[in-house]
Amino acid sequence: LEEKILDLVAVGTVADMVSLVGENRILVSLGLKIINQKKRIGLNELIKVSKINANGEKEIKAWHIGWQIAPRLNSAGRMDHANTAYELLITRDKAEARQIAEKLNEKNQARQKITEEIFEAAKKMVEAGRLDDKILIVVSPEPGKKENLSWPEGVMGLVAGRLCEEYSRPVLVITKINKEIKGSGRSIDEFNIIQAVEKLKEHLEKFGGHAAACGFTLKSWEDLAEFSRKLKIDALEELAGVELMPKVSVEAEIDLAEVNDELVKSLEKFEPTGEENEKPKFLSRGLSVMDKMSMGLSAQHVKFRFGR
């Protein structure tokens, strides 16, 4: 019985960005073995539709779940209803699985498009405001501005994450959905976003999350101004002296000559990599790009060959 659901355990663990250490790492390892045995029709069809193997990958790894499988499954709930993803995972009919997988792929493309549009609109709001704030708070529709529209709840966290990466500081994206004022936040290592939000619970109907991400519902539109003001003060104090710039942590500095098959095989032992067990990063200096090749369905990725 356990083997029948370990593939779903792997997908759920990676998709929900759960720590990949200890028993979670073991469960995901076992689940990936089952995924690669192609036992679940729905997942197989989603993998085919996603063209995950288009660049010659021989097996599905945790990376594929996090960046290619999970976004398509999640697009059902973000754009419509999660039942579509559920139906894909339980079906035993190949034709039905193919049809649902194509539907999810289309939803994911729509999700990508609307996320990009909202991200660009949010960037304009940020850059028209105070870029010196330690925390960025983006609101739509802005009070008193009829031209702004409410944003879909399902993509707010994605937009907050993109803004957090773009400006290297905590971000809250807030919108009015029907009669509710909802927000989603993403943060940097130096600022515990849920702790900051919890301090202001007198302004909130509900909230939840963890150090790096949160979701909440404000009691009223009138609470927004005071909630934002207090949060900015808290961020100003917490992030005093912190350099708000992109950072890359590396495990070691190595010479180009040390990058060989032996090193690659050693690094494979760290799989599956993910939350709290990130893929190791190394630094080599004095390199030149010898050539480059575009990859991906829309040539959105680039592969480099380095030398001295």
Side-chain angles (χ1 to χ4, degrees):
L1 177 63
E2 289 84 355
E3 286 191 2
K4 290 183 179 180
I5 62 168
L6 277 173
D7 56 343
L8 300 183
V9 170
V11 170
T13 302
V14 176
D16 209 29
M17 300 179 72
V18 178
S19 170
L20 284 189
V21 296
E23 63 183 19
N24 283 345
R25 183 165 172 264
I26 296 169
L27 290 170
V28 172
S29 296
L30 295 171
L32 283 167
K33 287 180 181 178
I34 294 171
I35 290 173
N36 283 292
Q37 289 170 10
K38 302 179 179 179
K39 291 186 175 183
R40 191 174 298 274
I41 293 171
L43 276 181
N44 292 340
E45 291 304 315
L46 189 63
I47 288 166
K48 289 177 187 176
V49 166
S50 308
K51 293 183 170 60
I52 288 176
N53 300 103
N55 294 322
E57 292 98 335
K58 293 182 180 179
E59 64 177 306
I60 302 300
K61 296 185 177 180
W63 182 90
H64 296 105
I65 295 175
W67 291 95
Q68 294 178 298
I69 295 173
R72 286 170 170 83
L73 292 172
N74 284 336
S75 67
R78 291 187 190 282
M79 304 300 291
D80 189 9
H81 198 289
N83 277 352
T84 310
Y86 172 71
E87 288 164 3
L88 176 76
L89 296 174
I90 65 170
T91 185
R92 295 186 180 183
D93 183 282
K94 189 173 181 179
E96 183 185 31
R98 182 74 181 186
Q99 184 181 26
I100 298 172
E102 288 174 349
K103 185 178 180 181
L104 286 175
N105 200 47
E106 290 170 4
K107 285 184 182 293
N108 188 55
Q109 290 170 348
R111 187 270 308 167
Q112 289 173 326
K113 184 175 183 292
I114 196 167
T115 300
E116 188 63 32
E117 290 172 355
I118 294 172
F119 171 64
E120 290 299 330
K123 271 182 68 176
K124 288 179 181 177
M125 290 182 183
V126 168
E127 290 171 9
R130 293 185 55 184
L131 275 172
D132 57 337
D133 282 341
K134 298 291 185 180
I135 184 169
L136 301 177
I137 301 175
V138 181
V139 182
S140 183
E142 294 177 278
K145 292 191 176 182
K146 294 181 180 179
E147 66 271 21
N148 290 318
L149 300 173
S150 296
W151 292 335
E153 184 179 359
V155 301
M156 287 167 57
L158 302 176
V159 173
R162 291 275 301 276
L163 291 170
C164 185
E165 289 178 11
E166 181 82 11
Y167 297 103
S168 302
R169 63 196 69 202
V171 174
L172 292 183
V173 175
I174 300 172
T175 193
K176 187 175 184 180
I177 300 172
N178 298 322
K179 294 182 179 180
E180 293 186 306
I181 315 299
K182 294 194 172 187
S184 188
R186 296 295 183 270
S187 194
I188 56 178
D189 292 341
E190 296 87 350
F191 188 76
N192 188 319
I193 192 85
I194 190 61
Q195 196 174 77
V197 166
E198 188 173 9
K199 291 177 187 175
L200 304 174
K201 58 187 177 184
E202 70 270 18
H203 298 289
L204 305 174
E205 284 286 349
K206 54 186 176 181
F207 62 91
H210 50 81
C214 71
F216 57 89
T217 301
L218 284 159
K219 286 183 177 178
S220 69
W221 201 246
E222 289 69 33
D223 281 272
L224 176 61
E226 192 66 7
F227 174 78
S228 300
R229 186 186 71 81
K230 291 175 181 176
L231 204 53
K232 287 181 180 181
I233 292 172
D234 188 28
L236 191 66
E237 294 172 355
E238 288 289 325
L239 295 172
V242 175
E243 191 175 19
L244 299 175
M245 293 182 67
K247 303 176 185 70
V248 177
S249 298
V250 298
E251 274 62 47
E253 182 173 338
I254 61 175
D255 189 84
L256 189 61
E258 296 177 79
V259 182
N260 50 36
D261 289 342
E262 185 180 350
L263 176 63
V264 172
K265 288 179 182 177
S266 296
L267 294 178
E268 285 176 353
K269 295 177 182 178
F270 289 94
E271 294 286 349
T273 53
E275 289 295 306
E276 296 185 22
N277 181 37
E278 294 184 10
K279 201 166 189 175
K281 299 184 185 73
F282 299 97
L283 169 68
S284 290
R285 300 181 189 272
L287 304 183
S288 299
V289 177
M290 308 302 287
D291 60 45
K292 65 183 180 70
M293 179 175 68
S294 297
M295 300 177 68
L297 297 176
S298 306
Q300 71 271 38
H301 305 298
V302 181
K303 184 178 182 179
F304 295 99
R305 187 169 68 88
F306 295 98
R308 291 191 185 280

